[in-house]
Amino acid sequence: DAKRRYSLYTLRLEPEIDPNIAREQQVNILSPLVIWAAHTIRADLLMNPTEFMAIPLARESSGRIPRNDEKRADNLEKALAVIWSKLDDNRRIDFEIIWHQLVSPYGIIVLECVDRKFPDQPKGMSDEAYAGLIERVQRESLPWSLFVPDPMTCAWRERAGRPTIFSRRFKQLVTDVERTYSKRARSEFYEHNLRFKNGSWEWKRMSDDYDVDSYHTSLGFKECELIELDDGENIYHVAMNEGNQSGQVVWQGPNPFGRVSAFIVPGSITPFRSPQDRYEPYLFPLMQAVDQLNTIRTIRATASRNVSGP
């Protein structure tokens, strides 16, 4: 259903009309109203910044909020606003998620934790000064990052609206997979290179002077499927072999978040129990009306053409 709505949005969904009306040629009249509505509503919503509110619940005997708690709440709100502005740099997350809320059944935000790179201790620097340098790097760098995957590549099981198991299955260039997972830190084969040979993945120890460029050129734009699984305790990345019957675990590690790393952001949630019926895009009623309007207009244009044509 979602893919059909995407075709409606991109003006590629041809109405199905009676063959007796279409006869020799069908004249498709497609409305761009869904595109216009999505862009207009998103532009209006982007004008409103994300707000964070922390409300102290403790009260004094007089019923007033303790002054220290009030200050803590204000500092927490400011800190959350600063952190979100770094994670959502240039509103890139908002820009995509709002579109998915309007057009897709749901949007998904995935939280990632990037390994920090600390500088080596320069010669002549005292241990105390180097400790201060490391502390400043820890304080100023943010190891967290966000990205928005294609919701059609994702699947999950949920409880009370929160995913308990989350997975993704998508295609990626073989060369990108090799660059990402070869000699990757905290990997089981962190000293090995990942190579795609004869349709399957394998780990190899290769010297630094290995001619990678010529090898990658021979692959061209060959793609493979990747599977990511997060069960809340561990995260697994699997590169599938040719034919997708088996694969290689290219990375695995503990989940550092305390919960599944994916956050589901629906446009409109319904009380239906069936998973495929729980989420609907905000513009679903408009999409239904435009689909019917396209059919009516196409029938009228096609009938007129066939009456006046040869």
Side-chain angles (χ1 to χ4, degrees):
D1 292 340
K3 289 180 179 179
R4 189 176 187 276
R5 293 169 194 157
Y6 286 159
S7 298
L8 178 66
Y9 174 89
T10 55
L11 303 180
R12 293 190 179 96
L13 183 63
E14 295 186 0
E16 297 180 2
I17 63 177
D18 190 283
N20 295 324
I21 299 177
R23 290 168 54 187
E24 299 175 358
Q25 182 179 354
Q26 179 173 317
V27 182
N28 295 316
I29 306 297
L30 307 179
S31 172
L33 188 58
V34 178
I35 301 176
W36 177 83
H39 283 279
T40 302
I41 296 175
R42 179 169 61 178
D44 292 340
L45 293 178
L46 285 173
M47 294 176 63
N48 302 319
T50 303
E51 294 183 356
F52 297 93
M53 183 177 296
I55 303 176
L57 300 180
R59 294 292 187 271
E60 295 177 344
S61 57
S62 61
R64 296 181 59 182
I65 300 175
R67 185 175 297 274
N68 289 336
D69 289 352
E70 189 174 356
K71 289 182 178 180
R72 290 193 187 99
D74 291 340
N75 291 334
L76 178 59
E77 290 177 355
K78 294 176 183 177
L80 289 173
V82 171
I83 292 173
W84 179 251
S85 65
K86 291 183 177 181
L87 294 175
D88 188 25
D89 183 41
N90 203 26
R91 306 293 297 276
R92 61 181 182 86
I93 300 297
D94 293 338
F95 197 80
E96 293 188 60
I97 283 296
I98 292 175
W99 188 90
H100 284 302
Q101 286 182 288
L102 295 172
V103 179
S104 302
Y106 45 82
I108 297 178
I109 300 177
V110 176
L111 179 64
E112 289 187 315
C113 183
V114 182
D115 291 333
R116 292 177 175 177
K117 295 182 179 180
F118 298 104
D120 297 330
Q121 184 173 359
K123 293 183 179 180
M125 177 179 285
S126 64
D127 293 341
E128 184 179 356
Y130 180 64
L133 175 63
I134 296 298
E135 184 180 353
R136 187 173 72 251
V137 171
Q138 290 178 332
R139 185 173 61 252
E140 294 177 355
S141 63
L142 189 67
W144 312 104
S145 63
L146 301 175
F147 78 96
V148 180
D150 181 358
M152 296 297 100
T153 65
C154 303
W156 70 91
R157 300 182 72 176
E158 70 171 42
R159 181 179 294 111
R162 173 182 290 191
T164 57
I165 296 178
F166 176 76
S167 65
R168 296 177 61 213
R169 185 165 187 151
F170 56 97
K171 289 185 177 181
Q172 195 170 19
L173 290 176
V174 170
T175 53
D176 290 340
V177 176
E178 293 179 346
R179 291 190 183 98
T180 301
Y181 296 101
S182 292
K183 294 184 177 180
R184 182 165 177 171
R186 295 195 301 169
S187 173
E188 183 180 358
F189 301 95
Y190 65 93
E191 294 181 346
H192 293 67
N193 288 293
L194 182 66
R195 290 291 176 258
F196 190 74
K197 187 176 181 180
N198 298 328
S200 61
W201 292 98
E202 58 184 23
W203 296 99
K204 285 189 174 183
R205 292 187 75 108
M206 296 181 178
S207 59
D208 295 335
D209 58 354
Y210 179 76
D211 191 1
V212 178
D213 292 335
S214 62
Y215 169 73
H216 284 171
T217 302
S218 65
L219 288 174
F221 294 95
K222 191 175 185 61
E223 292 181 327
C224 71
E225 282 199 350
L226 250 69
I227 298 177
E228 296 182 5
L229 174 65
D230 182 357
D231 61 6
E233 296 182 1
N234 296 284
I235 300 175
Y236 305 90
H237 293 184
V238 178
M240 301 300 293
N241 297 327
E242 197 168 333
N244 299 324
Q245 298 298 319
S246 60
Q248 177 73 247
V249 177
V250 293
W251 186 86
Q252 67 182 66
N255 183 316
F257 312 116
R259 53 151 291 165
V260 172
S261 57
F263 298 81
I264 313 301
V265 188
S268 175
I269 194 167
T270 65
F272 293 112
R273 299 185 64 87
S274 181
Q276 64 267 26
D277 296 330
R278 288 205 64 200
Y279 301 100
E280 295 292 351
Y282 181 80
L283 292 180
F284 174 71
L286 178 64
M287 292 178 173
Q288 187 76 7
V290 169
D291 192 15
Q292 296 170 352
L293 186 63
N294 289 347
T295 301
I296 294 173
R297 287 178 170 177
T298 298
I299 290 175
R300 295 178 63 181
T302 302
S304 300
R305 183 263 171 199
N306 290 335
V307 168
S308 60

